[in-house]
Amino acid sequence: MNATIVIYGSSTGTCEAIAEKIASKLGCEALNVQDLTADIVAANQNLILGTSTWGAGELQDDWYDGLKILQKADLSGKTIAIFGCGDCSSYSDTFVGGMGELYNGIKQSGASFVGAVETDGYTFDDSEAVIDGKFIGLPLDDINEDDKTDTRIETWLAAITPSL
């Protein structure tokens, strides 16, 4: 059984590059959600899920089929961490909303979720990904705040690694 896999959906390549960076730091594979199967889900204890946000806070398109696979899988006992890419300037009212949509689609799965992030240091107006005052995962804006991306990834990975 593989320990950890990073699964991402990316339309422009930004989320893919971040997923590959995270996977490299963890020494695991990054997989495009288009290639996700029930067997891959079953074979991995820890799932790190990444999505970009589109439209009015929606998931990246490829994730809709991937979400169905996750919803049909037995996720009980698995650990899930989520990261999301968004634009806090142009879309400050739906910042990383795709991350929230992904979480909402599997929150009743029996999995343990790790990696909530404080909203301090982020500039945005609203986000479906904020639950109980924290982002449900790692929000990244590699367009407007690319100078913060590496530090945010390092800090997040240090926080979630003991749980993986």
Side-chain angles (χ1 to χ4, degrees):
M1 174 187 258
N2 294 332
T4 302
I5 189 166
V6 178
I7 304 163
Y8 66 89
S10 187
S11 296
T12 65
T14 301
C15 194
E16 178 180 9
I18 290 169
E20 289 174 353
K21 185 179 289 191
I22 290 170
S24 174
K25 291 180 181 297
L26 292 174
C28 67
E29 177 186 2
L31 179 79
N32 189 317
V33 70
Q34 292 175 328
D35 300 321
L36 184 63
T37 65
D39 289 341
I40 291 170
V41 174
N44 288 278
Q45 179 62 31
N46 306 308
L47 308 174
I48 299 177
L49 312 176
T51 184
S52 50
T53 298
W54 292 93
E58 292 135 22
L59 272 172
Q60 189 272 343
D61 286 344
D62 299 327
W63 260 113
Y64 289 101
D65 288 337
L67 188 55
K68 290 176 187 172
I69 292 169
L70 291 177
Q71 289 169 334
K72 290 177 184 174
D74 179 8
L75 300 179
S76 57
K78 294 189 183 291
T79 301
I80 296 177
I82 302 173
F83 69 94
C85 300
D87 181 336
C88 69
S89 178
S90 298
Y91 299 97
S92 66
D93 58 335
T94 59
F95 181 54
V96 296
M99 188 166 65
E101 193 172 329
L102 187 55
Y103 171 77
N104 287 331
I106 56 173
K107 68 182 177 184
Q108 302 297 330
S109 66
S112 297
F113 290 87
V114 299
V117 172
E118 296 287 343
T119 59
D120 298 346
Y122 288 89
T123 304
F124 66 102
D125 292 322
D126 195 21
S127 177
E128 186 181 344
V130 175
I131 298 173
D132 297 330
K134 291 184 176 183
F135 287 105
I136 51 89
L138 175 64
L140 297 167
D141 182 345
D142 210 44
I143 297 165
N144 302 295
E145 300 180 339
D146 59 321
D147 58 320
K148 298 178 182 179
T149 297
D150 287 340
T151 301
R152 286 176 171 166
I153 290 171
E154 290 291 336
T155 302
W156 186 66
L157 288 177
I160 69 169
T161 301
S163 301
L164 300 179

